[in-house]
C-alpha cells in the first residue's frame, strides 16, 4: 500500500513517515523543502532502514502532482503541506490563503482524476475558535478563527466536507491537532524552526541550550490555576501514530470525519517549563510578559472520538515529551543545519 505524504519532510510529516514505514506502508514524500531539510530522508532511513521515495516538488503545481500519481500507484494521501506560522499569517494573509488552499485543491483535483479517494488532512484545534468550552469535542461549532492560518484550516475542512458530500467514494479524515511537541526518541528527527521560534517548546529548548537568553511567558492573568495559558501538549510520535490509524480509517470508510488528536490533559505554560527543567536538569530563565494577541485561555481535547473511530490514544506523558525534545535539541543544536 503506497501513501503520499505531502509536506512529509516537515516536523509532523517526518515523524509520520517513520510510523507509516514501521506499520508496513510504502511512503512517498512530496515536499518543496520551503521549511524543511532533505537531510530528514537520511534520518528516516537510519531509524527505519528504509528510504522513502522523495519528490522535491511544490504540490500546488498540478503537473508535478500528476507525475507522482503516474509514476506510483497511490492508495491514499496525508496532506501536511502548508504554511503554519500564525504571526506571519496575520501580516501576509494572501500568502497563506494562496498556498494552503491551492495545494489542497490541486492535490484533490489530481486525486479525483486518478480515482484516489482516501485523504487525511492536518487540521488544527484552532478551528474551535474562542467561544467553546473545554474540552473541545468534534460536535462543537467551529469558527471565530483569529488569524489567516487558522482560517485556511477551517476553509479546507469545509472544502473537504463538500467534496465528500458530492463523491460517495471519497473519504476525508480532518485531524484536529492540539499542541504537538517532543521528538523521536532516537534524537534523529525533531522540530527545526527557521529563525526565532513562535511555539513554546522549541523556545524552551533553544533557551536551555543557550541560543535564546530568556523565555517570555505571555500572559499571567488568565483564569487558570497559575494564571498562564493552558494547552493540550501531545507527543509528536503519538500524533504520528494517529495518522497511521487515520489513513487506515479513510481507506475503509467514506464521508468526512473531524477527529481530535490530543491527550485530553491541559498543562499551563509554567507547568511545561517546570516539567522541562525536571526532565533536562537545566534551568530555564523566564520573563513575564503581556498576553499574546489571539491566544485563548484554555485549549484541550475531548479524546473519545479518536478512541472510538481510530482505536488510538496518546501514550507518552509530558515528562517524555520534554525528555525527547531536549534529547533532539542537544544532539542537533542548530536543527538540520550542521
Ligand atoms: N507561549 C509563551 N511563550 C512563548 C511561546 C508560547 O508563553 O515563547 C505560550 C502561549 O502564550 C500559549 C502556550 O505557550 O499559552 C502555547 O503556545 P504555542 O505557540 O506553542 O501554541 P499555540 O497554542 O499558540 O498554537 C498552537 C499551534 C497553532 C495552532 C494553535 C491553535 O502552534 O498551529 O495551537 O490550535 F493554530
Amino acid at each position: 500500500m503506497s501513501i503520499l505524504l505531502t509536506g512529509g519532510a516537515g516536523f509532523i510529516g517526518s515523524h509520520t513517515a517513520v510510523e507509516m514505514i514501521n506499520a508496513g506502508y510504502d511512503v512517498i514524500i512530496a515536499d518543496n523543502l520551503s521549511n524543511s531539510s532533505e537531510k530528514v530522508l537520511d534520518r528516516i532511513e537510519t531509524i527505519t532502514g528504509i528510504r522513502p521515495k522523495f519528490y522535491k516538488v511544490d504540490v500546488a503545481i498540478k503537473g508535478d502532482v500528476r507525475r507522482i500519481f503516474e509514476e506510483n500507484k497511490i492508495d491514499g494521501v496525508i496532506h501536511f503541506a502548508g504554511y503554519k506560522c500564525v504571526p506571519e499569517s496575520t501580516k501576509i494573509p494572501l500568502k497563506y490563503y494562496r498556498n494552503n488552499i491551492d495545494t489542497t485543491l490541486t492535490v484533490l483535483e489530481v486525486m479525483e482524476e486518478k480515482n484516489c479517494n482516501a485523504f487525511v488532512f492536518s487540521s488544527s484545534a484552532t478551528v474551535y475558535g474562542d467561544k467553546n468550552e473545554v474540552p473541545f469535542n468534534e460536535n462543537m461549532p467551529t469558527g471565530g478563527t483569529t488569524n489567516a492560518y487558522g482560517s485556511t484550516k477551517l476553509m479546507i475542512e469545509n472544502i473537504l466536507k463538500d467534496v465528500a458530500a458530492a463523491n460517495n467514494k471519497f473519504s476525508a479524515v480532518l485531524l484536529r491537532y492540539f499542541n504537538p511537541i517532543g521528538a523521536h526518541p532516537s534524537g534523529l528527527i525533531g522540530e527545526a524552526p527557521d529563525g526565532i521560534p513562535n511555539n513554546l517548546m522549541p523556545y524552551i529548548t533553544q533557551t536551555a541550550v543557550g541560543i535564546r537568553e530568556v523565555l517570555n511567558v505571555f500572559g499571567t492573568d488568565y483564569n487558570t490555576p497559575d494564571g498562564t495559558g493552558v494547552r493540550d501538549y501531545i507527543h509528536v510520535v503519538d500524533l504520528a501514530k494517529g495518522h497511521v490509524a487515520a489513513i487506515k480509517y479513510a481507506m475503509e470508510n467514506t464521508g468526512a470525519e473531524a477527529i481530535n488528536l490530543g491527550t485530553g490533559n491541559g498543562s499551563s505554560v509554567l507547568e511545561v517549563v517546570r516539567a522541562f527543567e525536571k526532565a533536562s536538569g537545566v534551568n530555564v530563565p523566564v520573563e513575564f510578559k503581556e498576553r499574546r494577541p489571539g491566544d485563548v485561555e484554555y485549549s484541550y481535547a475531548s479524546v473519545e472520538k479518536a478512541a472510538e473511530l481510530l482505536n488510538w490514544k496518546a501514550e507518552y506523558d509530558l515528562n517524555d515529551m520534554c525528555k525527547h525534545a531536549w534529547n533532539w535539541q542537544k544532539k542537533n543544536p542548530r536543527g538540520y543545519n550542521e
Side-chain angles (χ1 to χ4, degrees):
M1 210 66 92
S2 294
I3 306 297
L4 173 64
L5 273 52
T6 73
F11 174 46
I12 301 172
S14 59
H15 288 81
T16 301
V18 166
E19 298 308 321
M20 290 292 293
I21 292 168
N22 287 344
Y25 289 94
D26 291 325
V27 168
I28 295 154
I29 292 178
D31 200 305
N32 65 0
L33 302 177
S34 69
N35 188 25
S36 56
S37 164
E38 205 164 346
K39 284 187 196 145
V40 161
L41 300 168
D42 300 334
R43 306 288 182 91
I44 294 172
E45 187 176 4
T46 306
I47 295 169
T48 64
I50 293 173
R51 190 176 187 85
K53 196 164 176 185
F54 176 60
Y55 288 85
K56 184 175 181 303
V57 297
D58 181 339
V59 295
I61 297 172
K62 201 177 255 183
D64 286 340
V65 181
R66 268 199 197 112
R67 183 163 61 89
I68 300 173
F69 276 77
E70 278 156 15
E71 291 177 4
N72 305 276
K73 161 137 190 18
I74 306 286
D75 298 290
V77 176
I78 309 181
H79 181 51
F80 299 101
Y83 293 141
K84 63 166 187 181
C85 178
V86 172
E88 185 186 52
S89 83
T90 64
K91 295 196 186 81
I92 326 174
L94 290 176
K95 174 177 169 180
Y96 279 70
Y97 287 112
R98 169 63 73 190
N99 181 63
N100 292 6
I101 308 283
D102 246 10
T103 51
T104 308
L105 293 177
T106 303
V107 171
L108 289 171
E109 284 170 352
V110 176
M111 287 177 70
E112 192 172 76
E113 273 175 32
K114 305 294 179 191
N115 203 21
C116 176
N117 289 304
F119 192 82
V120 171
F121 174 57
S122 296
S123 190
S124 166
T126 199
V127 301
Y128 289 111
D130 56 2
K131 301 280 180 291
N132 288 304
E133 296 276 312
V134 282
F136 296 148
N137 79 61
E138 294 85 346
N139 294 325
M140 287 176 166
T142 53
T145 48
T146 54
N147 55 73
Y149 156 83
S151 299
T152 67
K153 295 294 174 190
L154 190 56
M155 288 176 179
I156 294 167
E157 285 204 0
N158 289 331
I159 291 168
L160 291 168
K161 286 175 189 166
D162 288 343
V163 173
N167 176 355
N168 62 14
K169 286 190 289 181
F170 184 75
S171 173
V173 179
L174 324 177
L175 292 178
R176 293 179 178 162
Y177 306 157
F178 282 70
N179 288 59
I181 59 169
H184 193 267
S186 64
L188 286 166
I189 54 174
E191 190 167 10
D194 191 16
I196 301 171
N198 296 300
N199 298 114
L200 180 62
M201 185 53 82
Y203 209 106
I204 290 178
T205 59
Q206 290 196 5
T207 306
V209 87
I211 298 172
R212 313 278 156 213
E213 267 176 31
V214 60
L215 171 74
N216 298 311
V217 173
F218 298 129
T220 53
D221 58 349
Y222 287 110
N223 191 17
T224 59
D226 64 20
T228 64
V230 169
R231 296 288 180 277
D232 186 340
Y233 296 93
I234 172 171
H235 197 297
V236 64
V237 171
D238 278 330
L239 193 86
K241 290 178 178 165
H243 291 74
V244 178
I247 194 68
K248 181 167 181 282
Y249 181 89
M251 287 192 287
E252 291 170 356
N253 292 277
T254 58
E257 275 311 335
I259 303 180
N260 290 339
L261 292 185
T263 65
N265 302 313
S267 306
S268 74
V269 175
L270 289 177
E271 278 170 339
V272 175
V273 173
R274 279 190 217 106
F276 179 84
E277 289 180 328
K278 187 155 173 258
S280 66
V282 180
N283 179 49
V284 178
V286 301
E287 255 174 38
F288 296 108
K289 291 282 158 78
E290 292 293 297
R291 292 182 181 198
R292 191 172 64 173
D295 276 354
V296 296
E297 195 157 77
Y298 273 101
S299 166
Y300 57 88
S302 155
V303 295
E304 280 77 27
K305 191 170 177 187
E308 199 184 310
L309 295 192
L310 303 182
N311 195 25
W312 168 92
K313 71 176 178 48
E315 307 278 350
Y316 285 111
D317 64 16
L318 187 59
N319 178 55
D320 299 318
M321 300 179 214
C322 293
K323 225 171 47 193
H324 295 156
W326 181 229
N327 181 45
W328 154 256
Q329 180 75 66
K330 267 190 310 184
K331 288 185 174 156
N332 309 271
R334 307 269 159 197
Y336 294 103
N337 290 335
E338 51 190 46

